[in-house]
Amino acid sequence: ECYRGKGQTYRGTTSITVSGKKCQAWSSMFPHRHEKTPDRFPNEDLRDNYCRNPDGDSSPWCFTTDPSMRWDYCNLKRC
Ligand SMILES: O=S(=O)(Nc1cnn(C2CCNCC2)c1)c1cc(Cl)ccc1F
């Protein structure tokens, strides 16, 4: 699957970052406490641990389950 533009409308199920790390669920605060929760951003489909771009970054990203890496871009191609 691929993302269009900056991936702000990406709604796929990739959950692995470019560094091969697993994404942390958006509803979880472990290991990274954060502000990008499904409740605060209901229109961003912050479901499970799927890659999304809720803050208008250059491509879809996620918080990672590695305590030493807060977030990373996802392993997705631009369409
Ligand atoms: O919860 S967060 O979204 N965490 C966070 C830290 N860095 N990022 C990057 C994610 C990818 N895009 C650039 C910011 C997100 C967050 C956002 C803001 Cl504005 C301030 C504090 C904070 F904790």
Side-chain angles (χ1 to χ4, degrees):
E1 44 186 344
C2 59
Y3 66 91
R4 287 172 173 67
K6 299 196 303 181
Q8 290 180 277
T9 59
Y10 173 76
R11 293 293 182 267
T13 60
T14 294
S15 58
I16 302 293
T17 71
V18 290
S19 48
K21 297 185 186 296
K22 194 168 174 294
C23 292
Q24 172 182 317
W26 296 100
S27 57
S28 171
M29 291 294 137
F30 181 82
H32 306 288
R33 201 175 15 269
H34 65 90
E35 302 173 0
K36 298 296 181 237
T37 61
D39 294 349
R40 286 190 183 185
F41 298 87
N43 306 329
E44 300 294 333
D45 193 46
L46 300 179
R47 182 186 313 273
D48 298 314
N49 64 341
Y50 301 148
C51 299
R52 293 290 185 263
N53 183 10
D55 63 355
D57 202 328
S58 52
S59 69
W61 58 273
C62 65
F63 296 107
T64 86
T65 57
D66 179 339
S68 71
M69 182 180 281
R70 185 168 170 79
W71 69 274
D72 197 9
Y73 292 108
C74 284
N75 187 23
L76 282 164
K77 294 187 303 303
R78 190 163 185 267
C79 297

